Amino acid sequence: MKKKFSYSAIRLFGHSFRQAWNLLRQEKLFSTIYILGTGLSITMVMTLSIVFYIRIADIYPETNRDRMLIVKRVMEKYGNGSSSGSLSLPFVEACFMSLESAEATAVVYNRWNVNHRIQPEGSREQWPVAVQYVDTGYWRVFAFRFVDGSPFTATDFLSGIHTAVIAESLARRLFGTAGATGRYVSVNFSPYRICGVVRDVSLVTERTYAQLWMPCTVAPDYRSSHSENGAVGRMEAYILAPSARDVEKVRTEALERFRRYAGQFDEIELSIFGQPDRHWQSLFRSLSNAEIDFTRIAIQYGLILLILLLVPAISLSGMADSRMERRLAEMGVRRAFGAPRGVLMRQIVVENFLFTLLGGIVGLLMSYVLILFSSDWIMTLGQKYIDIPPEGTVAVFTPPMLLNLPVFGIALAVCLLLNLMSSLLPAWKASRREIVYSINS
């Protein structure tokens, strides 16, 4: 009985789709306007969806975002004054290093507004290059793929030896090959031995983008950037939990460590405002002296999404309603021959879904075009780089960033939602009209 019902339902929907396709071919102008209108509205929704997906999903080399905790800011209050900013090394070591429940902890040393330039051998040119200063734990927290060599060692880090990991494209540009381990590169007129070569990192992965990664200890101002007792410095801490299920356990231990550390000061009050944050939460933390209201943020973005869906849905609903007025005679004849209201409503909804689905495909393609041709301001909007990106650097998108099931799933869900919002009312109104009135119209 169930198989018979399923087969009948498939036949009915197939028949509805054929009718919808014939209608699309007959009303080419209306169909074109409807599909383009749907496509434009879905373009905005999908552009936002793709941007958020790239910021939040596991993207190389930030493939552990679902089990990562981040501490970027701290605030000190003393007497009538206060100071806030990134973290000092003693503060990071006391609160977040060697957590028993964590798999690894990484430190990134921020050197804002510093220009780095490479001096190629046998050339008078100087190439701008993006540099990050990191520790040895950085290579455990972030999943870089080494095409040659390996990360710098703990001995290199502690000794402050001039060594560096280089991006594959830069290695090929400098030496004509990715096998650059053991060779030297001159950065700001200081030689650095290359210990490893990694696959290129896209500009869209803000936390890991660079062309050279050096030990924090080689930075000229590293030792003077923090005091022994102060919590404010130039560090950011990235904590990796063994699994996504262990994130809260690690966070609890980190907060307990912080409470013990802060409790030893009588005249200084320390606050980290709810950190460590999960990866997606840290994207919204720009201020160091304020708590983040994530509920308010969720409501704001929900309202934006609702407006982006509601406005075109009202417009498309009006178009669908005017089309129903022109088809009232057809509906009346079908009702006179015994067609149930449910069948008529299903036909209208299926027709609208076909138009919306085609519009969704157009919108998805348009969103890809918009992102690819406007990547410099769309994907980097609001980002804060550890170093100044070299002039001419562009955001590179790999196929997994754009062509993936979550994005297509979002597109299909938006199409279904937009279709229901724009077609249910016209379908209900058309099916409720009196048969005589419909035929006479």
Side-chain angles (χ1 to χ4, degrees):
M1 187 72 181
K2 288 184 178 179
K3 289 184 178 179
K4 184 177 180 181
F5 174 78
S6 300
Y7 181 68
S8 300
I10 292 172
R11 287 187 61 188
L12 285 172
F13 274 101
H15 179 67
S16 298
F17 262 103
R18 285 195 297 273
Q19 285 184 314
W21 181 254
N22 290 331
L23 180 65
L24 186 149
R25 296 173 60 186
Q26 292 169 9
E27 300 184 359
K28 293 180 180 179
L29 179 61
F30 172 85
S31 302
T32 301
I33 295 173
Y34 195 99
I35 290 171
L36 288 178
T38 305
L40 287 173
S41 61
I42 290 179
T43 296
M44 302 308 299
V45 176
M46 289 313 304
T47 300
L48 287 176
S49 300
I50 293 171
V51 169
F52 272 100
Y53 176 82
I54 293 175
R55 291 282 185 88
I56 294 173
D58 292 341
I59 303 293
Y60 168 83
E62 300 175 16
T63 55
N64 299 319
R65 287 173 170 175
D66 62 332
R67 56 190 183 104
M68 187 182 298
L69 289 166
I70 300 166
V71 188
K72 300 195 295 185
R73 301 288 184 266
V74 65
M75 183 175 182
E76 296 177 337
K77 289 184 179 179
Y78 39 84
N80 296 325
S82 66
S83 63
S84 60
S86 298
L87 322 175
S88 70
L89 181 59
F91 178 69
V92 172
E93 289 177 338
C95 298
F96 310 117
M97 286 291 188
S98 305
L99 294 172
E100 294 180 2
S101 57
E103 181 177 316
T105 300
V107 164
V108 173
Y109 177 62
N110 295 327
R111 298 190 73 209
W112 298 288
N113 300 321
V114 176
N115 291 306
H116 295 87
R117 294 186 177 276
I118 285 180
Q119 293 77 41
E121 292 183 6
S123 174
R124 294 184 178 181
E125 279 189 281
Q126 295 193 60
W127 301 342
V129 63
V131 175
Q132 285 218 50
Y133 292 88
V134 302
D135 69 344
T136 53
Y138 185 83
W139 309 107
R140 295 178 59 195
V141 172
F142 299 105
F144 283 84
R145 297 174 190 171
F146 279 80
V147 296
D148 190 48
S150 59
F152 47 79
T153 65
T155 302
D156 294 336
F157 180 82
L158 294 173
S159 304
I161 294 175
H162 279 215
T163 184
V165 173
I166 190 172
E168 183 180 3
S169 61
L170 183 59
R172 293 187 183 278
R173 185 181 179 189
L174 288 170
F175 310 112
T177 177
T181 300
R183 305 185 75 162
Y184 283 81
V185 59
S186 175
V187 181
N188 291 350
F189 301 100
S190 294
Y192 290 83
R193 183 183 61 85
I194 297 173
C195 61
V197 182
V198 295
R199 206 186 90 184
D200 283 14
V201 178
S202 174
L203 191 64
V204 301
T205 53
E206 174 189 2
R207 307 191 193 286
T208 48
Y209 170 74
Q211 294 165 300
L212 279 173
W213 295 263
M214 299 177 180
C216 301
T217 49
V218 305
D221 50 359
Y222 175 70
R223 298 296 175 189
S224 61
S225 65
H226 53 262
S227 62
E228 292 185 5
N229 296 322
V232 177
R234 295 186 180 180
M235 301 287 184
E236 292 181 357
Y238 299 86
I239 308 165
L240 186 65
S243 67
R245 296 188 301 271
D246 299 317
V247 168
E248 283 306 313
K249 180 180 178 182
V250 175
R251 187 173 183 275
T252 301
E253 183 185 355
L255 287 173
E256 180 59 31
R257 286 267 199 101
F258 167 73
R259 279 191 288 267
R260 290 203 302 264
Y261 178 85
Q264 65 182 326
F265 300 102
D266 296 327
E267 299 178 355
I268 299 177
E269 180 186 346
L270 298 180
S271 178
I272 52 176
F273 300 100
Q275 299 174 91
D277 293 327
R278 289 176 177 268
H279 166 78
W280 69 268
Q281 292 174 322
S282 69
L283 298 175
F284 300 98
R285 188 175 293 279
S286 58
L287 298 176
S288 56
N289 57 353
E291 194 81 42
I292 298 179
D293 188 348
F294 292 109
T295 302
R296 181 181 178 185
I297 291 173
I299 292 174
Q300 288 175 340
Y301 280 94
L303 287 175
I304 291 173
L305 183 62
L306 181 62
I307 292 171
L308 289 175
L309 286 175
L310 193 59
V311 171
I314 293 173
S315 176
L316 295 175
S317 179
M319 294 179 65
D321 195 39
S322 65
R323 183 174 53 132
M324 289 301 103
E325 291 293 333
R326 296 198 304 272
R327 297 179 61 195
L328 281 178
E330 174 196 338
M331 297 294 176
V333 171
R334 293 178 65 181
R335 287 281 307 283
F337 279 89
R341 287 193 178 96
V343 172
L344 296 179
M345 285 191 66
R346 186 187 63 237
Q347 175 65 37
I348 297 168
V349 170
V350 170
E351 289 173 2
N352 268 37
F353 178 69
L354 178 61
F355 292 145
T356 310
L357 186 63
L358 292 174
I361 295 172
V362 172
L364 187 61
L365 294 175
M366 290 172 66
S367 66
Y368 287 150
V369 172
L370 179 62
I371 286 179
L372 291 174
F373 284 94
S374 307
S375 59
D376 289 346
W377 64 272
I378 289 181
M379 289 308 304
T380 61
L381 188 64
Q383 285 191 350
K384 177 191 73 62
Y385 292 97
I386 303 302
D387 198 357
I388 299 172
E391 185 178 351
T393 302
V394 295
V396 177
F397 298 94
T398 59
M401 292 183 188
L402 302 178
L403 307 176
N404 52 75
L405 289 177
V407 169
F408 288 121
I410 292 171
L412 183 60
V414 171
C415 288
L416 286 170
L417 185 59
L418 196 59
N419 172 60
L420 291 175
M421 292 172 67
S422 62
S423 64
L424 282 182
L425 182 60
W428 181 82
K429 288 175 61 179
S431 66
R432 300 294 296 180
R433 293 291 178 86
E434 294 293 336
I435 295 176
V436 175
Y437 174 82
S438 299
I439 293 176
N440 289 337
S441 67

